[in-house]
Amino acid sequence: MSPDSPEAGTSPPDLHAPELYLNRELSQLEFNFRVLAQAKDPRVPLLERLRYLCISCTNLDEFFEIRAATVRTALQFGGPLPPDGIPPSRALELIHDKAAELVAEQYRYWNECLRPELNGAGIRILAHSSWNARQRKWLHRYFRDELLPVLSPLGLDPVHPFPRILNKSLNVVVVLEGKDAFGRNGGMAIVRAPRSLPRIIQLPPEISGGEHDFVLLSAVLTAFVDDLFTGMRVKGAYQFRVTRNSELFVDEEEVENLASALKDELASRGFRPAVRLEIAEHCPKPIVRTLLQNFGLTENAVYRINGPVNINRVTQVYDLVDRPDLKFPAFKPGAVALDAEAPFETLRQRDVLLHHPYQSFQSVLDLLQHAAHDPDVLAIKQTLYRTGKDSKIIDHLITAARNGKDVTVVVELRARFDEEANIRLADQLQEAGVQVMYGVVGYKTHAKMMLIVRREGKKLQRYVHLGTGNYHAGTARAYTDIGLMSSDPDIAADVHDIFQQLSGLAPSIKLRRMMQSPFTLHKGILMRIEREAKLARAGKGGHIIAKMNALNEASVIRALYEASQAGAKIELIVRGACCLRPGVPGVSENITVRSVVGRFLEHSRVYWFGNGGKPEIFCSSADWMERNLLRRVETCFPIIDPRLAERVYDEELANYLADNQQAWELREDGSYDHVSPAEGEMPYSAQGALLAKLCG
């Protein structure tokens, strides 16, 4: 009986059934458990393990700011249920339980394992209870000299209502007894930590006795807070932090100036509706209830913390401590086969593939810098989503404009958490004479592409760079991404047409080689999945391998289920949230899903389709998510050169499917199992193999 033939008398599974879909939010939380597992891995250098712990905490902050906030909004305003069918009220309960488990494990590991190990290595983060007399005296002086002058405690009474608390700011709620100078009875006061001071204080070696001794500002503030309330008795001081919804809402159909509207929204982002309250573990219940009431939160939004509420701030220790022996070994990115002095000659002869961070992002900068100064270059067009601070990309674009090139840049103002930086960036470019566009109303421009137009003899020649990651030199050292440089006339013409479309001057277009969202990418993926299913039914195999950051688009998941039922082999490498449920009998037995979490953040998107022995391989800026496929401008480009196609397959797909060190397999119930070498199998790390192969 074929895999897609139901037994006699039974109905085929309903592929819309909610039980076939994992919850996106819970799957995202599972990813943070995998990040935390890196912090626990004894093979990882100690300071890197500290960094992973802090990353898991920072990720959780963003999860609440965006994903949990979205669920709370759905609870308040309604809307369609997600494919998993879980209503918002139940989803928030499940989120709380899973997040509370994660938080408890983060702090258990910090208190019982990581902090003692750091102490043993001579890096001490000193708790209040461990300060000796000399340390306490120095810290008390620091409090009086540095903190006290800028603190403004606020008593809570009818004249002083509960203050507005900034998103993720460190605060202390203080319980007081006695009378103040005006004869008012004690009650509660709020003390907010000054944002202008560092959250980690390094003690002088001559005071502390150690070269790398640190104290959290939160500990100092709590220890000496009674200095603020002379004549009154402090009965208790409890750290707390509130996380708020950080999604910005701008009705683009109504606003005349998107940049101006975003500036207004950014001004209020820090005070949007609360979604989470973190509070010291021993804080009395009445105080917690008071805080919840003031923030408009319910019990399933509170997290009691056994330690500093802002433990992610300890990440600063990583940069303050010069201990190469406790960090990953330095590496030198490998060279790219591009002549920096004559890049266009190279690209006329062949395409060039870049695999970051193993190969240097400098080649992209070199290409743009050369174009900025080349007298034969007439125009440069580029998309910018995230660029980082003091970006050389921006310098080169400004130089090109000042050198008389026609420079056009599509700046995505709505890049989450980079909105303010991108508004400044757009202003800077416009002042230099660059033509700046803000993309298309209702669609974020997430595509990563650069187009250079050069006069060569009597004709114009186009050169392109396309990538899976941002034009950001910083993330190019920490994220894995694929870039392609090419002068292929069809791909270059496609990029030209997409830029024309973004400017609002082109109608619906038929691309030659590329696919794009929101027009052809979704349909193109579905068509290719269905083709593999058809091949499988005909007994001709059917094979899909795809690597991405996240997967949640329901129609793509259903198509994968149908291909699995037909007998196609489907291997997915999904770093983060995955809503597809593998291994379901009669539905997804032929689908495997793995996640790789290692030294670098897996960020490249690669799709491979067997196509009956004539494989197609694509790289893309898009995950298989609803937003990427239906509500964003994305690009997906084929790797045409057979040598480069083989390289992408080997390095990004086969390599990661072979990993038995940093890979995790998704189970049917939504949990993940760590992959270990089978008996007699050698340990293999995909990222380690690429470091050895591509780096100097």
Side-chain angles (χ1 to χ4, degrees), residues 543-565:
H543 193 182
I544 300 167
I545 310 174
K547 182 172 185 277
M548 64 201 73
N549 299 332
L551 168 60
N552 81 334
E553 208 287 308
S555 60
V556 170
I557 293 174
R558 284 194 292 273
L560 291 169
Y561 285 157
E562 289 172 352
S564 172
Q565 290 175 321

Side-chain angles (χ1 to χ4, degrees), residues 533-690:
K534 186 176 180 180
L535 287 168
R537 291 189 190 98
K540 297 179 181 178
H543 193 182
I544 300 167
I545 310 174
K547 182 172 185 277
M548 64 201 73
N549 299 332
L551 168 60
N552 81 334
E553 208 287 308
S555 60
V556 170
I557 293 174
R558 284 194 292 273
L560 291 169
Y561 285 157
E562 289 172 352
S564 172
Q565 290 175 321
K569 182 180 181 181
I570 301 167
E571 300 171 284
L572 303 176
I573 306 163
V574 185
R575 183 199 77 211
C578 178
C579 297
L580 179 147
R581 195 185 291 273
V584 178
V587 176
S588 55
E589 294 117 321
N590 295 315
I591 303 177
T592 60
V593 181
R594 60 168 38 204
S595 169
V596 175
V597 182
R599 173 175 181 172
F600 307 114
L601 182 78
E602 292 299 329
H603 194 253
S604 49
R605 293 90 165 185
V606 180
Y607 322 144
W608 181 90
F609 303 94
N611 194 25
K614 298 177 181 177
E616 294 180 311
I617 192 163
F618 297 88
C619 296
S620 180
S621 60
D623 295 309
W624 287 358
M625 299 184 72
E626 183 181 352
R627 70 184 188 194
N628 298 89
L629 299 177
L630 303 175
R631 298 195 303 274
R632 286 186 173 185
V633 177
E634 305 273 13
T635 53
C636 178
F637 51 96
I639 306 298
I640 300 169
D641 185 319
R643 295 176 303 104
L644 300 186
E646 183 178 3
R647 227 192 103 189
V648 173
Y649 179 89
D650 289 345
E651 293 177 10
E652 280 286 12
L653 300 177
N655 184 42
Y656 282 86
L657 292 173
D659 192 301
N660 58 24
Q661 294 289 286
Q662 295 165 317
W664 299 75
E665 292 281 358
L666 175 60
R667 297 172 57 184
E668 181 186 344
D669 65 0
S671 64
Y672 284 78
D673 287 334
H674 191 258
V675 177
S676 299
E679 187 175 349
E681 188 179 34
M682 293 294 292
Y684 185 83
S685 162
Q687 293 188 358
L690 290 171

Side-chain angles (χ1 to χ4, degrees), residues 91-119:
L92 287 172
E93 293 174 0
L94 294 171
I95 286 170
H96 176 271
D97 293 346
K98 180 61 71 173
E101 180 186 345
L102 176 61
V103 169
E105 187 57 20
Q106 287 170 335
Y107 281 88
R108 184 205 65 79
Y109 182 65
W110 166 249
N111 291 318
E112 298 178 12
C113 303
L114 193 53
R115 192 173 190 167
E117 285 192 53
L118 287 165
N119 185 72

Side-chain angles (χ1 to χ4, degrees), residues 35-44 49 52 105 108-109:
V35 175
L36 182 59
Q38 286 292 107
K40 298 178 180 180
D41 190 340
R43 297 170 300 180
V44 175
R49 288 158 57 195
Y52 279 120
E105 187 57 20
R108 184 205 65 79
Y109 182 65

Side-chain angles (χ1 to χ4, degrees), residues 95-234:
I95 286 170
H96 176 271
D97 293 346
K98 180 61 71 173
E101 180 186 345
L102 176 61
V103 169
E105 187 57 20
Q106 287 170 335
Y107 281 88
R108 184 205 65 79
Y109 182 65
W110 166 249
N111 291 318
E112 298 178 12
C113 303
L114 193 53
R115 192 173 190 167
E117 285 192 53
L118 287 165
N119 185 72
I123 302 168
R124 299 190 297 174
I125 293 88
L126 301 170
H128 180 194
S129 58
S130 70
W131 299 345
N132 61 36
R134 198 174 187 197
Q135 292 165 347
R136 183 179 179 85
K137 182 178 179 181
W138 187 91
L139 289 166
H140 199 175
R141 186 183 304 115
Y142 181 92
F143 176 86
R144 290 196 304 267
D145 294 346
E146 301 291 335
L147 269 75
L148 196 59
V150 293
L151 291 175
S152 298
L154 182 64
L156 302 182
D157 57 35
V159 179
H160 301 96
F162 202 89
R164 297 178 76 193
I165 301 296
L166 187 66
N167 181 38
K168 297 187 295 186
S169 61
L170 171 64
N171 301 271
V172 176
V173 57
V174 185
V175 182
L176 299 167
E177 187 175 69
K179 293 183 181 293
D180 68 5
F182 294 94
R184 295 173 297 186
N185 288 320
M188 285 202 308
I190 300 292
V191 182
R192 188 177 78 180
R195 300 173 68 191
S196 56
L197 294 179
R199 292 302 189 254
I200 286 282
I201 303 162
Q202 185 163 11
L203 292 163
E206 64 273 16
I207 296 295
S208 185
E211 185 181 357
H212 302 302
D213 287 352
F214 303 91
V215 173
L216 281 159
L217 180 74
S218 55
V220 176
L221 181 57
T222 307
F224 304 115
V225 72
D226 52 348
D227 281 16
L228 296 168
F229 305 99
T230 306
M232 305 184 77
R233 187 168 76 88
V234 173

Side-chain angles (χ1 to χ4, degrees), residues 229-489:
F229 305 99
T230 306
M232 305 184 77
R233 187 168 76 88
V234 173
K235 294 178 64 178
Y238 311 101
Q239 298 175 34
F240 75 91
R241 195 171 74 130
V242 65
T243 310
R244 297 185 179 275
N245 183 334
S246 291
E247 282 281 56
L248 299 181
F249 176 76
V250 174
D251 188 347
E252 298 175 53
E253 301 283 357
E254 299 294 330
V255 302
E256 293 184 11
N257 186 319
L258 178 60
S260 177
L262 276 172
K263 286 178 183 177
D264 292 341
E265 276 288 293
L266 285 166
S268 63
R269 171 183 261 173
F271 301 103
R272 299 202 67 210
V275 293
R276 172 181 64 162
L277 172 66
E278 297 168 278
I279 186 78
E281 186 176 52
H282 56 288
C283 183
K285 289 182 180 179
I287 296 177
V288 175
R289 284 196 295 269
T290 299
L291 293 174
L292 289 173
Q293 181 180 357
N294 278 282
F295 294 131
L297 293 173
T298 53
E299 286 287 341
N300 68 358
V302 65
Y303 296 83
R304 288 186 172 271
I305 303 300
N306 181 20
V309 297
N310 58 343
I311 194 174
N312 55 310
R313 296 289 194 167
V314 183
T315 193
Q316 296 171 33
V317 170
Y318 183 92
D319 295 318
L320 292 170
V321 174
D322 184 18
R323 288 285 300 274
D325 57 311
L326 300 181
K327 299 180 181 181
F328 284 129
F331 73 97
K332 181 180 179 182
V336 175
L338 181 76
D339 186 341
E341 300 301 319
F344 301 122
E345 289 185 21
T346 303
L347 296 179
R348 280 197 300 272
Q349 298 169 20
R350 63 182 181 274
D351 290 353
V352 171
L353 186 78
L354 304 96
H355 196 168
H356 308 302
Y358 313 103
Q359 291 179 298
S360 177
F361 186 73
Q362 185 61 40
S363 297
V364 180
L365 299 177
D366 289 343
L367 177 65
L368 183 56
Q369 182 180 30
H370 192 89
H373 292 278
D374 188 330
D376 293 324
V377 168
L378 305 180
I380 299 171
K381 300 183 181 185
Q382 177 139 18
T383 59
L384 293 177
Y385 193 76
R386 304 187 198 278
T387 62
K389 198 175 180 181
D390 302 323
S391 170
K392 290 293 183 185
I393 289 276
I394 306 307
D395 294 344
H396 297 330
L397 290 169
I398 288 173
T399 298
R402 289 174 176 165
N403 284 344
K405 319 296 182 191
D406 182 17
V407 181
T408 303
V409 177
V410 181
V411 178
E412 182 46 73
L413 295 183
R414 297 154 298 183
R416 188 179 291 139
F417 299 121
D418 274 358
E419 299 96 344
E420 191 171 356
N422 283 3
I423 290 170
R424 289 197 302 268
L425 166 67
D427 291 342
Q428 182 184 357
L429 289 168
Q430 286 174 322
E431 288 170 5
V434 174
Q435 179 172 292
V436 174
M437 299 184 297
Y438 297 147
V440 182
V441 171
Y443 297 87
K444 281 187 181 182
T445 301
H446 192 248
K448 284 73 173 159
M449 54 186 185
M450 177 199 301
L451 174 67
I452 298 168
V453 182
R454 187 172 188 263
R455 181 174 297 284
E456 297 181 356
K458 295 182 179 180
K459 68 172 187 175
L460 298 183
Q461 176 70 44
R462 298 188 184 110
Y463 299 89
V464 300
H465 171 268
L466 294 160
T468 66
N470 298 304
Y471 289 102
H472 190 303
T475 57
R477 290 191 293 270
Y479 293 13
T480 70
D481 275 304
I482 294 290
L484 178 72
M485 294 178 179
S486 178
S487 64
D488 179 88

